[in-house]
């Protein structure tokens, strides 16, 4: 036990804002960090979080409630890293695009407030991360991204901006924007990485912003397939496959081009799996089936319209069903997440509103640890710590 305590004490301590069901924690802790404090206002997410990680851990606090009610006095004063996966509702294309002035995405400013309070107490974390949708980079013509970077700059941070797609690690198209704010950035300010695409380079050319570009190893190439390997084994007579009437309605909503494509796949030997997503085109709800063996971006399942379906094709047959919670978990890199007693829509909402575990793990291993050690590998944890 003493050995475990000493190991935990050596792991950089993390504050986890907008924690959701804890997928950022899974990624960070598998890279050698220790999440000591977490916050979210959704009771259903907190219940999943505690069911997975356990309750009664004296080294961790979960603060349920609006971040606006949190003060720096409640936070550990020795955290090295602050992580925030703030709401994307007002920044996504599916939202109202109110940006950082919106009711939900505007909670980013509460994160900044708490960092400011920590700085006043002499406890500002050396590294702070903001994760959100790529829409943050274009919201209000880029003004929202400038405002976010400027807010970190005013706290004394230099900011790096990256786009990491979960598709580099799992069979899901899920690009996300990561702002990495560092009090003491390394000197490699001109480092090139394909995680900083051309359309994002204007950020680093803005003389009014303090930015940096840390050296990074090449990230894995985007996956071209793999969804079929993640599907749950399910016999053809399983009740979760839709009945003939519902399947006929599904087929009737497809465009002629999509119908022709899946009809050809239906004739092939063996089983192939594709994901389908319901969209509104010219006021009409239609299903669209992805042509590749990759899942579309998982989203929060509100009202049923944003849930993805799984299409099984081959051997002259076609079957359709909703994607399962376990498949959502696998697509987020959290295959072992505990789902006993979790309602289906609760799980889909929790995973659809989260950050992919392997994307966090890669960033933590290849950037955050080095940022805390002044760019040196000498302080990199010698082992990876999975959640215990």
């Amino acid at each position: 036990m003493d050995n475990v305590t000493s190991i935990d004490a050596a792991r950089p301590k993390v504050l986890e804002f907008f924690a959701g069901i804890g997928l950022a924690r899974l990624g960070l802790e598998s890279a050698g960090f220790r999440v000591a404090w977490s916050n979210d206002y959704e009771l259903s997410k907190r219940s999943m979080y505690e069911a997975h990680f356990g309750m009664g851990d004296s080294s961790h606090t979960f603060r349920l409630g609006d971040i606006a009610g949190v003060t720096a006095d409640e936070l550990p004063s020795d955290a090295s890293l602050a992580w925030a996966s703030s709401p994307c509702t007002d920044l996504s294309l599916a939202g109202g695009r109110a940006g950082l002035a919106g009711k939900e995405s505007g909670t980013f400013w509460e994160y900044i407030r708490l960092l400011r309070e920590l700085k006043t107490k002499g406890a500002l974390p050396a590294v702070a991360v903001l994760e959100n949708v790529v829409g943050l980079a274009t919201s209000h013509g880029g003004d929202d991204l400038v405002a976010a970077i400027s807010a970190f700059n005013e706290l004394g941070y230099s900011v790096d901006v990256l786009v990491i797609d979960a598709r580099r690690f799992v069979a899901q198209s899920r690009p996300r924007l990561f702002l990495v704010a560092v009090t003491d950035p390394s000197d490699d300010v001109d480092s090139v990485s394909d995680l900083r695409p051309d359309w994002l380079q204007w950020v680093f050319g803005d003389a009014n912003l303090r930015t940096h570009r840390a050296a990074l190893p090449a990230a894995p190439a985007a996956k071209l397939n793999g969804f079929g390997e993640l599907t749950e084994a399910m016999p053809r007579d399983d009740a979760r496959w839709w009945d003939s009437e519902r399947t006929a309605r599904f087929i009737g909503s497809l465009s002629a081009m999509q119908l022709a494509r899946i009809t050809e796949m239906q004739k092939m030997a063996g089983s192939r799996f594709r994901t389908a997503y319901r969209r509104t085109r010219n006021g009409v709800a239609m299903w669209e089936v992805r042509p590749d063996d990759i899942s579309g971006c998982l989203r929060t399942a509100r009202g049923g319209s944003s849930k993805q379906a799984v299409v099984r094709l081959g051997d002259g047959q076609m079957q359709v069903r909703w994607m399962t919670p376990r498949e959502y978990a696998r697509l987020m890199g959290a295959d072992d997440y505990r789902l006993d007693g979790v309602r289906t829509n609760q799980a889909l909402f929790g995973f659809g509103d989260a950050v992919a575990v392997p994307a966090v793990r890669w960033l933590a291993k290849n950037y955050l640890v080095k940022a805390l050690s002044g760019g040196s590998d000498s302080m990199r944890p010698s082992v990876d710590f999975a959640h215990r």
Side-chain angles (χ1 to χ4, degrees), residues 86-110:
S86 59
C88 65
T89 312
D90 303 301
L91 295 164
S92 68
L93 293 176
R97 300 292 278 178
L100 293 183
K103 180 179 179 181
E104 294 194 39
S105 296
T107 52
F108 161 75
W109 298 110
E110 297 295 340

Side-chain angles (χ1 to χ4, degrees), residues 40-49 62 64-65 346:
D40 202 277
Y41 76 102
E42 294 264 9
L43 179 60
S44 64
K45 292 179 181 176
R46 198 272 300 269
S47 66
M48 286 183 65
Y49 191 110
F62 192 109
L64 179 66
Q346 178 186 9

